[in-house]
Amino acid sequence: MAESMKIDVQAHGPVEGGEFVVFVGENLKPTPAVAKRIGAKTVDLIAKAGDLEKFKGKARSALVLTAPAWLAVDRLIVIGVAEDKKTPIDWAQLGGFVAGKLSGKAATIVLDVPGADVTPEAAAEVALGARLRKYSFDHYKTKKDDKTPGTARLTLSVADPTAVKKALKAAEAVAEGVVIARDLVNEPPNVLSPEEFASRADALRKVGVEVEILDEKAMRKLGMRALLGVSQGSVREARLAIMRWNGGKSTDKPIAFIGKGVVFDSGGISIKPGAGMEDMKGDMAGAACVVGLMHALASRKAKANVVGAIGLVENMPGGNAQRPGDIVTTMSGQTIEIINTDAEGRLVLADVLWYVQDRFKPKFMIDLATLTGAILVALGQEFAGLFSNDEELSQRLTAAGQATGERVWRMPLAAEFDKMIDSKFADMKNSSGRHAGSSTAAALLQRFVNNVPWAHLDIAGVAMGSPQTETNKGWASGWGVRVLDRLVKDHYEA
Ligand code: BES
Ligand code: MN
Ligand code: ZN
């Protein structure tokens, strides 16, 4: 639940009010225009105070001058932006860093930055970063000890307010989408049942998304025995939520995003060790991303036809739970031998991928899933694993990842990995041991993808327990909303 923060945009004007943020390079000088606004006396003070405080204007450093007598501000916050020349400024991270320095009721950020061109998009990214930095999940704390920095009112002082306002609207839609995804991932599993998750998806109606919810009866009719097999040990019923945003031409094929939504993954009969099992409340991060993304795209009225589909189940042991040795028939007709009931995500996705390609004939499909622990071994928490049958889609995803900081790294699909999941008793088995664990999981998914460009993002490492950044101090990152929004924006809008 993010604190509220109102963001305004105005043209560069006089220095007044609350906290005032300016940027300097390694010479501790702001741009000439900013120098003129704050005055020579202030520029001298920054140089002198900077020297005393060993502030060298380096990126991610700040100097705070409290109540300088001749300026109508409470605090003048000087932010360094002297970067390594090879790395361009990450505007969202910069916005997050700035927000971390704020503590008053109102703040103005003067987006006139030495050595950098602050485009309207860059300005909007600063706002997005500030908003995400202010996020905290304290819904279940009865004593609020709100130490979250930030401000209630943020003003961006810019050269071209009209263009920035427009970009800001889109960025706010994306920020809301990230917040929705984070909230869902942070939410405890007793609260977030498949049914409750589906009703959160249903709430997207208010931004113009069409939503359909299929219950178990409807899924049984469709033959989704793989998805239902995962769910059968739980007393809480499975759901499949389908979200549609039609912002494109009616003749345009949709693009599709599919999410793994295991609201809790105990492992089932192949039960997981107890230590850290609470983290498996986050095993629905793929689905959470899809909901957040649909919110973002609809709220900013993206000119594209988009389908989101999320398979919502709970993986529990129980008298009726699926067993190792069971064989299930998927919606596609292919059969899967269950070797390990903890390899459940691929079973859910097998049916949802098939359903989406069959019903919607999408231009491409991208699935997101906290699928394997092995991807954490390979890539840690910095990159999501990307598996794809399509060069162009892979390149576009990689570029969008670079641009947003939600990075992906291509991993192999290969006939040899596919062979590893052949089963003695069925068409395939759901687990084949430790070797190439992420690739064999992807190989199973690929058996449910026909002739359509497809990418699978294994987000087990990046979605939860995330490293602290300037835009995320919490557990859930909301990973994927930004990179996929960017992918759509850059390539799939009319
Ligand atoms: N949800 C887990 C993967 C996971 C691990 C997500 C750590 C986030 C953090 C998945 O369902 C799982 O249990 N995978 C098994 C597969 C194995 C049984 C073939 C794994 O990775 O160990
Ligand atoms: Mn599992
Ligand atoms: Zn899982």
Side-chain angles (χ1 to χ4, degrees):
M1 327 276 143
E3 311 305 317
S4 70
M5 180 167 76
K6 180 145 177 17
I7 305 179
D8 295 320
V9 182
Q10 61 177 224
H12 293 312
V15 178
E16 60 186 349
E19 297 180 305
F20 203 76
V21 180
V22 299
F23 299 93
V24 299
E26 67 201 320
N27 61 2
L28 304 194
K29 290 233 176 358
T31 65
V34 173
K36 213 167 144 200
R37 280 171 78 186
I38 59 179
K41 216 158 146 185
T42 312
V43 174
D44 287 347
L45 176 63
I46 292 171
K48 203 162 162 191
D51 196 37
L52 289 166
E53 300 287 348
K54 299 195 169 52
F55 170 72
K56 299 197 161 48
K58 286 212 181 88
R60 304 284 142 74
S61 68
L63 173 73
V64 179
L65 302 173
T66 306
W70 59 88
L71 273 186
V73 300
D74 298 333
R75 299 160 86 214
L76 180 71
I77 300 175
V78 185
I79 304 283
V81 290
E83 304 258 340
D84 167 357
K85 296 276 180 294
K86 278 172 287 187
T87 49
I89 294 178
D90 181 328
W91 296 101
Q93 290 296 311
L94 181 60
F97 179 77
V98 171
K101 298 289 159 198
L102 303 178
S103 58
K105 284 202 171 57
T108 302
I109 304 180
V110 182
L111 286 172
D112 186 354
V113 178
D117 174 26
V118 191
T119 62
E121 284 69 33
E125 285 278 302
V126 169
L128 174 120
R131 168 135 298 165
L132 294 181
R133 177 67 174 77
K134 208 165 149 45
Y135 176 87
S136 71
F137 186 79
D138 59 2
H139 192 62
Y140 296 97
K141 291 205 185 273
T142 59
K143 295 186 202 78
K144 312 274 182 209
D145 53 344
D146 186 16
K147 293 201 187 67
T148 327
T151 180
R153 260 188 95 94
L154 180 64
T155 302
L156 304 179
S157 167
V158 301
D160 181 356
T162 314
V164 173
K165 273 182 193 154
K166 194 164 162 242
L168 180 63
K169 251 181 128 174
E172 297 219 71
V174 175
E176 280 169 18
V178 176
V179 166
I180 286 171
R182 285 183 183 176
D183 277 348
L184 284 167
V185 175
N186 283 322
E187 197 74 76
N190 57 331
V191 172
L192 197 68
S193 61
E195 199 182 343
E196 171 62 20
F197 199 132
S199 79
R200 305 263 179 120
D202 199 63
L204 291 180
R205 285 173 193 279
K206 68 174 185 288
V207 289
V209 174
E210 288 169 21
V211 186
E212 262 173 83
I213 311 286
L214 305 193
D215 62 9
E216 289 198 347
K217 196 164 150 233
M219 288 189 269
R220 212 164 289 124
K221 220 167 137 193
L222 288 164
M224 297 186 162
R225 304 272 162 192
L227 183 154
L228 290 169
V230 175
S231 174
Q232 74 189 36
S234 171
V235 296
R236 304 193 292 182
E237 264 211 33
R239 291 288 183 272
L240 173 63
I242 299 138
M243 297 154 272
R244 302 185 70 179
W245 166 250
N246 298 315
K249 294 196 219 56
S250 62
T251 49
D252 268 4
K253 278 187 182 180
I255 57 179
F257 299 96
I258 290 143
K260 168 181 173 180
V262 177
V263 298
F264 184 71
D265 180 12
S266 69
I269 295 299
S270 316
I271 198 162
K272 287 182 181 293
M277 206 201 271
E278 67 278 11
D279 285 354
M280 285 303 115
K281 73 171 184 176
D283 208 20
M284 29 54 69
C289 170
V290 172
V291 173
L293 175 68
M294 294 303 292
H295 174 93
L297 295 174
S299 302
R300 70 171 182 77
K301 304 212 168 7
K303 291 191 181 62
N305 296 332
V306 190
V307 173
I310 53 179
L312 303 167
V313 300
E314 178 174 44
N315 187 21
M316 293 289 266
N320 191 42
Q322 166 158 281
R323 294 149 288 257
D326 283 3
I327 293 176
V328 294
T329 302
T330 62
M331 184 183 171
S332 74
Q334 301 176 87
T335 56
I336 307 177
E337 181 191 7
I338 309 303
I339 300 296
N340 187 324
T341 65
D342 197 11
E344 85 296 341
R346 62 200 76 182
L347 301 171
V348 172
L349 290 174
D351 277 337
V352 183
L353 283 166
W354 188 265
Y355 176 78
V356 168
Q357 103 187 323
D358 198 45
R359 176 171 169 197
F360 296 107
K361 317 274 186 286
K363 212 178 291 176
F364 69 71
M365 306 195 281
I366 296 178
D367 75 74
L368 298 105
T370 47
L371 205 63
T372 66
I375 204 69
L376 265 150
V377 177
L379 301 177
Q381 299 188 294
E382 305 300 336
F383 290 82
L386 161 65
F387 300 81
S388 180
N389 61 5
D390 191 82
E391 290 304 317
E392 184 181 69
L393 188 56
S394 295
Q395 278 165 19
R396 289 175 172 183
L397 274 165
T398 303
Q402 288 288 351
T404 54
E406 292 183 342
R407 291 174 298 172
V408 304
W409 195 264
R410 186 107 183 244
M411 300 285 286
L413 292 164
E416 291 78 3
F417 299 134
D418 181 76
K419 196 160 180 2
M420 285 167 76
I421 58 169
D422 283 341
S423 154
K424 222 183 318 180
F425 298 106
D427 296 337
M428 69 196 90
K429 54 188 178 185
N430 79 329
S431 165
S432 59
R434 289 180 59 239
H435 288 180
S438 303
S439 284
T440 54
L444 188 142
L445 300 184
Q446 195 175 17
R447 290 197 184 192
F448 296 85
V449 176
N450 295 329
N451 257 331
V452 53
W454 156 75
H456 155 58
L457 296 170
D458 193 333
I459 61 170
V462 292
M464 56 179 116
S466 312
Q468 307 278 288
T469 67
E470 298 301 342
T471 50
N472 184 29
K473 300 291 173 192
W475 184 71
S477 60
W479 196 98
V481 175
R482 294 186 57 216
V483 59
L484 296 178
D485 174 78
R486 181 68 179 238
L487 175 80
V488 175
K489 179 175 163 228
D490 285 351
H491 301 288
Y492 301 99
E493 290 191 56

